[in-house]
Amino acid sequence: MGERCGAVLRVLVLQAAWALAGGQVRYSVPEEAKAGTVVGRLAQDLGLEAGEAEARRLRLVAQGRRASVEVSGASGALLVSSRLDREELCGKSAPCALRLEVLLERPLRVFHVQLEVTDINDNAPVFPAARKNLSIAELSVPGSRFPLEGASDADIGENAQLSYTLSPSEHFSLDLHRSEEYRESLFLVLTKPLDRETIPVHRLVLTASDGGRPSLTGTMELLISVLDANDNAPQFNQSVYKMQVPENAGLGTLVARVNATDPDLGSNGEVTFSVSNTFPENGIKIFLLNARTGDIHLAGTVDYEEIRSYEIQIEATDKGTPPLSGHCKVVLEVLDVNDNAPEVWVTSLSVPVSEDASVGTVVALLSVSDRDSGANGRVRCWVWPASPFGLEATFAGSYSLVLREALDRERVSEYEVEVRAEDGGAPALRASRGLRVPVSDVNDNAPAFSQAVYTVLARENNAAGAELARLWARDPDEAGNGRVSYSVWEGGVGGGAAAPSWSSGAVGGGWRAASSYVSVDAESGRLWALQPLDYEELQVLQFEVRAVDAGEPPLCGNATVQLFVLDENDNAPALLLPPAGSAAEAGAVAAEASSGPGSGSGTLWAWAAWGAPAGQVVAKIRAVDADSGYNAWLRYELWEPRGKGPFRVGLYSGEVSTARPLDEADGPRQRLLIVVRDHGEPARSATATLSVSLLEAAEAALAAGPGSSLSSSSSSSSSWSGSGSRSASGVELGAGAASAATNVWLVVAICAVSSLFLLALVLYGASRWAPRAAVLSGPGPTTLVCASEVGSWSYSQRHSRSLCVADGAAKSDLMVFSPNFPPPPPGAAAKDTQPEPSALLDTVSAASFVPFSAPPHPPSGFLPFAGGLRSHCLGTLGSQWVLRDNNGAFPSAACGKLMYYGLSD
């Protein structure tokens, strides 16, 4: 026992050195080593520092059968964990080398360790049976040889080198034949003739000793019976038969045929065959021998991967008395066929893989093997589909699944990868192993709106909290990376200066942020109004909505929202009355007027001469509507007197003119009731009362003298009276007025007109030459001018101005969204090309208005403009003007002409 322990220690000392060749570490350990025996300092041999093995999780990868060794987590040493039996692990194979895979995580690396289990003499020789019965004819001549079954030793090398001894006998000896190609053959040799009468039975002991130190022995008793008579034994035509059988041969296949002859006659020459011994022992169940013919058939299955050759001892016995026998050996070599498919194991899998993982990242470690040999056992591996993963061979039979291309979770969130293996046999056999590789998300996608610009239409006077639109931004990321929140953004755009949201109307003397009008729900993207919208205060509101995800760092996207407020007919026409002061200075009777939403009344005074021809304008009624479009397009109707009165009123101009020549039968004074009505739904109206005094021609001329000057100058400043060629309105002379009073009023009128004219020129020049930037961004009321060369009302995004037609009254309803206008139509009169501002306002009639008619179906490519009936010129499209109303947008030549919406300003 002491010598055995010493041998173990010597082996451990001799195997302490290790060799690193191609990434493989080799150790050696004797079998039957006790649990806890240190095989090698694995961590130190792998170049790890003290304590690093445990931190980086140095461990063995279990493969197939249990390796009976383990890695100490604290020291990193390779230890024996359970009993090592070389015979159980490797059988008769030499050397007995176990291939182990050692996994080192953080980072992931794999090492291959080859552990050789050395043999010790722990198995004694064993004979097939404890007793062997032999029958030998007494006529057997000296030198006759009788085969014996040798012993077997599970050990290898010197420990399995057997030697035999026979108990002392003068008749028998042993003959041992050794061959490198075949197993040893043991024979019992007759050295001296037998005499049955002297010794009928010989009892001998056969002892087998192995070459171990100390040597182990096994024994078998030989019981030899001496037979009389039959003196010729059967003889085989060859002592050894070498045959081959494929491992896929079917049951009943003839694998060999033996032949033996006996020169004796009769029963002494009749030979029968029997199997005396097989190696391995289970061969007796696999092969079937025909006792009469000597044919050997396959009765079971053979497997090259389990046993590669069989040895069968066949005995031929005659029927003599006593029977004699002859012996031969049949060696059957099993031929390999490709009957084993490759096997694929996943030894380590690191999932999920981050979508920003770099190319070359190791995803899994795999091992591939094939039990066949030669070309049948050579395996070729690949991965399917071919991208984005690939295989890299790390060692014989070991592969790494690595990333070959960049990943995108939004395109493919999970991969079903199949590792396929194919051997080199014919036909080739295949195997595969599926892997599920999920991809984890990173925040690499910013929220994106479906539209860069959203156009939202909202009617004015909407309720606070009313939903205006729903915005939605898509973020293909998952979880928090794809959870989007919305907000109205007041910050800058891109990398430039801050660009706050803006609105087209001035509120309270300055601009207001969009967040004071609208808000967006952070989760749903619902856009809703914070307060009722007023078209007269705000026509267009443009702002940006920002969508931000919850990733780290967060990513964002923007969308522009253009909110157009649609006009409602919520303002009634308002009458514009002349200033009371000017009328009093002219000597007129004080005018009384009042107006309000939905209705209005006022008393105006005008003169007309008896005998005035039909069509002479005696006054003009002016009104304004704060609404826009059709809601502000006014028409004038004469309610009283009805029928055939001496006066009529222009439907759209508001000019009161004579319907027929005036005579004395019409009376000294006419009272006219005029209703001003817009085109809204429902329509709103206001009323005006005009008192017309009928005078003699001389009195009318005398009254018209200063009055004309007043009206002419007033038209240049306040833009409310008629033209100078027509009769003035707003004063009534007393029947007994003196000429001196007339001269005084004439002087006052001339001075007033001159002053007002100079003031109008100053205001016009200031508005004309004011810097555009101040017009765009400055607070305060805007100014409307008749800027077109053809006399059309215009509204430009670069110029937003209003013309004050009376104190506190301003209009900007007529819009053309382009500062460019077509040339004046051919044949236009000179007075239509460059009219004076007052003349333009006073001479517009219903005939100059071209109504906009919508086509039955708007052309494609234009966004329908929902809302009340309205018409707006959007600008030019090529050579065509584009008109938009509630039916859509379409080219129209009407935009090139004067657009008059019935406004009296």
Side-chain angles (χ1 to χ4, degrees), residues 553-874:
L555 301 178
C556 65
N558 296 331
T560 300
V561 179
Q562 293 180 344
L563 175 63
F564 292 90
V565 182
L566 307 181
D567 183 45
E568 294 285 338
N569 192 23
D570 57 346
N571 291 281
L575 296 174
L576 301 179
L577 301 179
S582 62
E585 292 174 0
V589 179
E592 297 179 357
S594 64
S595 64
S599 64
S601 64
T603 301
L604 301 177
W605 300 88
W607 295 270
W610 282 329
Q616 180 174 352
V617 178
V618 299
K620 182 172 182 178
I621 305 301
R622 294 175 175 83
V624 67
D625 195 317
D627 293 321
S628 176
Y630 271 67
N631 295 330
W633 184 17
L634 303 182
R635 60 182 179 181
Y636 301 83
E637 299 177 2
L638 182 62
W639 276 31
E640 294 181 2
R642 296 181 180 272
K644 297 181 179 180
F647 297 97
R648 62 186 177 188
V649 63
L651 180 62
Y652 296 108
S653 65
E655 293 179 340
V656 180
S657 61
T658 56
R660 56 179 172 77
L662 300 176
D663 55 24
E664 294 183 357
D666 293 322
R669 179 174 297 177
Q670 291 286 333
R671 181 178 179 276
L672 306 180
L673 182 61
I674 299 173
V675 176
V676 184
R677 192 187 312 274
D678 59 27
H679 284 73
E681 290 293 339
R684 294 177 179 267
S685 63
T687 60
T689 302
L690 177 65
S691 180
V692 182
S693 298
L694 304 181
L695 305 177
E696 295 293 340
E699 295 178 350
L702 181 62
S708 298
S709 301
L710 177 62
S711 64
S712 175
S713 61
S714 300
S715 65
S716 301
S717 58
S718 61
S719 185
W720 68 275
S721 64
S723 63
S725 64
R726 299 169 184 170
S727 299
S729 62
V731 294
E732 181 182 8
L733 297 177
S739 60
T742 302
N743 294 334
V744 172
W745 286 113
L746 180 60
V747 173
V748 172
I750 292 174
C751 295
V753 168
S754 301
S755 301
L756 293 174
F757 181 74
L758 292 176
L759 179 60
L761 289 179
V762 172
L763 294 177
Y764 178 78
S767 63
R768 181 70 174 176
W769 303 106
R772 294 184 177 181
V775 175
L776 284 174
S777 59
T782 57
T783 304
L784 180 75
V785 297
C786 188
S788 172
E789 293 180 357
V790 298
S792 62
W793 295 93
S794 66
Y795 178 89
S796 172
Q797 292 181 353
R798 295 177 296 173
H799 303 278
S800 177
R801 302 170 180 170
S802 302
L803 174 63
C804 295
V805 297
D807 293 344
K811 287 293 295 178
S812 61
D813 302 86
L814 307 182
M815 297 190 218
V816 179
F817 288 95
S818 174
N820 302 318
F821 297 91
K831 67 178 181 179
D832 294 333
T833 58
Q834 294 180 348
E836 292 294 329
S838 60
L840 177 65
L841 295 176
D842 292 340
T843 58
V844 175
S845 63
S848 64
F849 170 73
V850 181
F852 301 124
S853 59
H857 299 287
S860 61
F862 293 96
L863 177 66
F865 189 79
L869 189 61
R870 66 192 71 242
S871 299
H872 295 296
C873 284
L874 300 181

Side-chain angles (χ1 to χ4, degrees), residues 56-59 61 101-111 346-351 360-366 394 399-402:
R56 296 180 61 182
R57 295 188 62 186
L58 181 67
R59 61 184 178 87
V61 178
E101 286 188 1
V102 178
L103 190 65
L104 184 63
E105 300 182 357
R106 306 171 187 169
L108 183 63
R109 292 188 61 188
V110 61
F111 299 91
V346 178
T347 59
S348 179
L349 182 63
S350 179
V351 292
T361 300
V362 178
V363 178
L365 297 177
L366 305 106
T394 58
Y399 295 87
S400 295
L401 182 66
V402 298

Side-chain angles (χ1 to χ4, degrees), residues 250-253 255 283-289 296-301:
L251 298 179
T253 301
V255 295
I284 192 95
K285 300 179 180 178
I286 298 177
F287 302 99
L288 180 63
L289 175 63
I296 301 176
H297 294 271
L298 191 62
T301 58

Side-chain angles (χ1 to χ4, degrees), residues 49-362:
E49 299 294 336
E52 194 176 0
E54 185 174 7
R56 296 180 61 182
R57 295 188 62 186
L58 181 67
R59 61 184 178 87
L60 282 177
V61 178
Q63 246 187 27
R65 66 184 71 182
R66 190 163 55 91
S68 300
V69 292
E70 63 183 5
V71 176
S72 174
S75 63
L78 187 64
L79 307 177
V80 175
S81 60
S82 61
R83 175 178 174 269
L84 286 170
D85 190 352
R86 192 205 63 78
E87 287 74 25
E88 179 182 354
L89 294 174
C90 303
K92 298 292 288 184
S93 299
C96 181
L98 302 180
R99 194 181 71 181
L100 307 176
E101 286 188 1
V102 178
L103 190 65
L104 184 63
E105 300 182 357
R106 306 171 187 169
L108 183 63
R109 292 188 61 188
V110 61
F111 299 91
H112 297 274
V113 177
Q114 183 171 340
L115 178 62
E116 180 181 358
V117 182
T118 60
D119 183 53
I120 64 172
N121 192 22
D122 58 340
N123 291 279
V126 177
F127 285 93
R131 175 180 293 179
K132 174 71 173 177
N133 295 321
L134 296 175
S135 295
I136 300 177
E138 65 174 341
L139 298 179
S140 297
V141 297
S144 299
R145 302 161 61 87
F146 305 95
L148 298 176
E149 298 175 53
S152 62
D153 196 326
D155 296 322
I156 61 174
E158 294 182 356
N159 296 329
Q161 292 293 329
L162 302 181
S163 60
Y164 297 90
T165 58
L166 188 65
S167 58
S169 174
E170 60 179 346
H171 295 281
F172 298 96
S173 64
L174 290 177
D175 185 16
L176 179 63
H177 282 188
R178 298 185 185 274
S179 173
E180 294 181 359
E181 184 178 2
Y182 309 113
R183 294 180 67 251
E184 58 190 19
S185 299
L186 181 63
F187 295 91
L188 182 64
V189 180
L190 183 63
T191 58
K192 183 180 180 180
L194 298 176
D195 186 2
R196 189 191 63 82
E197 287 74 19
T198 305
I199 306 175
V201 176
H202 297 266
R203 295 182 181 271
L204 303 176
V205 175
L206 179 61
T207 303
S209 301
D210 59 25
R213 295 183 181 180
S215 177
L216 301 180
T217 61
T219 60
M220 180 177 66
E221 182 182 9
L222 298 179
L223 186 61
I224 304 172
S225 300
V226 179
L227 303 179
D228 194 24
N230 190 15
D231 56 348
N232 288 291
Q235 296 293 325
F236 287 92
N237 55 1
Q238 61 186 77
S239 60
V240 177
Y241 294 84
K242 296 180 63 177
M243 309 299 292
Q244 293 179 333
V245 56
E247 62 175 328
N248 62 345
L251 298 179
T253 301
L254 177 65
V255 295
R257 175 175 293 169
V258 296
N259 185 29
T261 60
D262 193 326
D264 294 328
L265 297 176
S267 60
N268 292 331
E270 294 181 8
V271 180
T272 59
F273 301 93
S274 63
V275 176
S276 61
N277 185 34
T278 62
F279 182 83
E281 296 180 0
N282 63 342
I284 192 95
K285 300 179 180 178
I286 298 177
F287 302 99
L288 180 63
L289 175 63
N290 190 314
R292 187 175 59 83
T293 63
D295 295 340
I296 301 176
H297 294 271
L298 191 62
T301 58
V302 292
D303 191 351
Y304 175 84
E305 288 71 39
E306 292 184 1
I307 301 176
R308 301 187 178 185
S309 65
Y310 292 89
E311 294 182 8
I312 305 175
Q313 293 283 348
I314 298 179
E315 183 180 40
T317 305
D318 59 22
K319 296 183 179 180
T321 304
L324 300 179
S325 62
H327 301 82
C328 74
K329 179 187 293 186
V330 177
V331 178
L332 292 175
E333 181 183 358
V334 181
L335 301 179
D336 182 42
V337 296
N338 192 25
D339 60 344
N340 289 280
E343 295 179 339
V344 181
W345 294 287
V346 178
T347 59
S348 179
L349 182 63
S350 179
V351 292
V353 181
S354 177
E355 65 175 320
D356 62 348
S358 60
V359 174
T361 300
V362 178

Side-chain angles (χ1 to χ4, degrees), residues 418-592:
E418 191 176 70
V419 178
R420 297 180 176 180
E422 181 183 72
D423 59 25
L429 298 180
R430 296 179 179 179
S432 63
R433 178 61 61 96
L435 299 176
R436 188 178 67 87
V437 183
V439 182
S440 61
D441 183 52
V442 296
N443 191 25
D444 57 346
N445 290 279
F449 287 90
S450 58
Q451 300 174 223
V453 178
Y454 289 84
T455 299
V456 180
L457 307 179
R459 294 185 179 274
E460 66 172 328
N461 302 320
N462 60 296
E467 181 175 338
L468 303 178
R470 287 183 182 268
L471 310 180
W472 181 73
R474 178 180 179 271
D475 193 326
D477 294 325
E478 66 177 355
N481 295 333
R483 188 169 59 252
V484 180
S485 60
Y486 305 87
S487 63
V488 175
W489 186 46
E490 306 287 354
V493 178
S501 54
W502 57 273
S503 63
S504 66
V507 181
W511 297 103
R512 292 173 58 183
S515 58
S516 63
Y517 292 101
V518 295
S519 179
V520 63
D521 186 81
E523 294 184 359
S524 65
R526 184 175 67 93
L527 184 67
W528 49 281
L530 292 175
Q531 60 182 7
L533 301 176
D534 188 359
Y535 177 83
E536 289 70 41
E537 173 187 306
L538 176 70
Q539 288 84 42
V540 181
L541 180 64
Q542 179 171 310
F543 55 92
E544 288 193 356
V545 174
R546 168 172 287 186
V548 183
D549 60 28
E552 185 62 38
L555 301 178
C556 65
N558 296 331
T560 300
V561 179
Q562 293 180 344
L563 175 63
F564 292 90
V565 182
L566 307 181
D567 183 45
E568 294 285 338
N569 192 23
D570 57 346
N571 291 281
L575 296 174
L576 301 179
L577 301 179
S582 62
E585 292 174 0
V589 179
E592 297 179 357

